[in-house]
């Protein structure tokens, strides 16, 4: 059987989304026959502005271009929130996919969403909800995790990011890092999504 390619495409300012992406890759890669790869979208802010924001240097994860998206059998898209919407950097990348939209090159491909917000009321549901429009116009199939993560979805004693839409974390003032439970949910999303992408690819052959 042919390898199923899952691309995990993200933007991360302070590293929170990147940590989720790394766990998602591990989860996707744990599915036999699936090849998972990390990609970053281009930064739109200058080094000077990023420095003033206290943002750390970018990792060595390769930068993706829109033309590389059709190579994937499934896409997991990650970004921080900005006032309840995806960050402008990721929106700018999506705005550059007009050529793919015109030919519907991504139509029928499964896609998932993961994210980071600053606070509990900062967009854990509105961020993925408002981002689904990007998938719809490309004809992609949105794959939420629902409540497949089990008991972890009902955690009430500790602060936990994520929702039925996908894995998530809280950045707070930047010092808070994804918890073990949030990382476990990210791993689960990668594994769950990869299994579905593999099934879809198999049924189309």
């Amino acid at each position: 059987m042919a390898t199923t390619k899952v691309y995990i495409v993200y933007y991360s300012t302070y590293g929170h989304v990147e940590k989720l992406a790394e766990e998602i890759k591990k989860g996707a890669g744990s599915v036999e026959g699936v090849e998972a790869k990390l990609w970053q979208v281009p930064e739109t802010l200058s080094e000077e502005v990023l420095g003033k924001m206290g943002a750390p240097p970018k990792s060595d994860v390769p930068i993706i271009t829109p033309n590389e998206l059709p190579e994937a059998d499934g896409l997991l898209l990650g970004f921080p929130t900005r006032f309840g919407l995806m960050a402008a950097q990721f929106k700018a990348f999506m705005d550059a996919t007009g050529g793919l939209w015109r030919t519907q090159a991504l139509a029928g491909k499964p896609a998932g969403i993961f994210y980071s917000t600053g606070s509990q009321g900062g967009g854990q549901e509105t961020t993925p909800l408002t981002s689904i429009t990007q998938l719809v116009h490309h004809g992609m199939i949105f794959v939420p995790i629902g409540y497949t993560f089990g008991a972890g979805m009902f955690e009430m004693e500790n602060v936990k990011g994520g929702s039925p839409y996908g894995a998530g974390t809280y950045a707070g003032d930047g010092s808070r890092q994804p918890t073990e439970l949030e990382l476990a949910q990210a791993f689960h999303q990668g594994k769950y999504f990869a299994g579905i992408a593999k099934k879809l690819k198999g049924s189309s052959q």
Side-chain angles (χ1 to χ4, degrees):
M1 182 179 290
T3 299
T4 300
K5 292 185 179 181
V6 172
Y7 282 3
I8 301 143
V9 184
Y10 68 92
Y11 172 74
S12 189
T13 309
Y14 296 103
H16 298 80
V17 174
E18 186 165 67
K19 284 186 171 64
L20 294 180
E22 290 167 352
E23 285 302 308
I24 286 173
K25 181 188 177 186
K26 292 176 186 176
S30 72
V31 177
E32 185 179 358
V34 171
E35 176 187 313
K37 185 172 183 177
L38 292 175
W39 296 90
Q40 296 185 81
V41 302
E43 179 60 81
T44 59
L45 298 176
S46 67
E47 291 294 333
E48 180 182 2
V49 171
L50 290 170
K52 290 180 178 178
M53 292 170 60
K58 299 294 183 187
S59 68
D60 58 1
V61 170
I63 304 296
I64 195 168
T65 64
N67 290 338
E68 287 163 304
L69 292 177
E71 299 171 0
D73 298 302
L75 296 165
L76 280 158
L77 313 176
F79 32 79
T81 190
R82 296 293 184 266
F83 300 115
L85 305 171
M86 67 166 61
Q89 288 87 342
F90 208 95
K91 182 60 167 62
F93 175 75
M94 294 304 297
D95 286 348
T97 61
L100 301 178
W101 165 79
R102 195 171 296 110
T103 60
Q104 287 293 283
L106 303 179
K109 292 182 184 291
I113 295 170
F114 59 103
Y115 46 87
S116 172
T117 72
S119 64
Q120 293 186 65
Q124 287 283 314
E125 292 196 14
T126 62
T127 304
L129 178 61
T130 53
S131 300
I132 291 173
T133 58
Q134 310 293 311
L135 312 182
V136 170
H137 283 261
H138 277 287
M140 301 185 77
I141 303 168
F142 177 51
V143 181
I145 60 172
Y147 282 81
T148 60
F149 185 48
M153 295 296 294
F154 300 93
E155 172 61 40
M156 295 294 286
E157 298 301 317
N158 300 294
V159 173
K160 183 193 80 70
S163 72
Y165 292 94
T169 188
Y170 294 109
D173 62 1
S175 61
R176 183 187 186 274
Q177 296 299 313
T179 65
E180 287 187 17
L181 187 58
E182 290 169 343
L183 293 175
Q185 186 177 38
F187 182 94
H188 169 76
Q189 181 175 14
K191 184 176 181 179
Y192 177 75
F193 179 86
I196 291 176
K198 181 179 177 180
K199 286 180 184 177
L200 287 173
K201 182 179 177 68
S203 66
S204 66
Q205 291 180 334

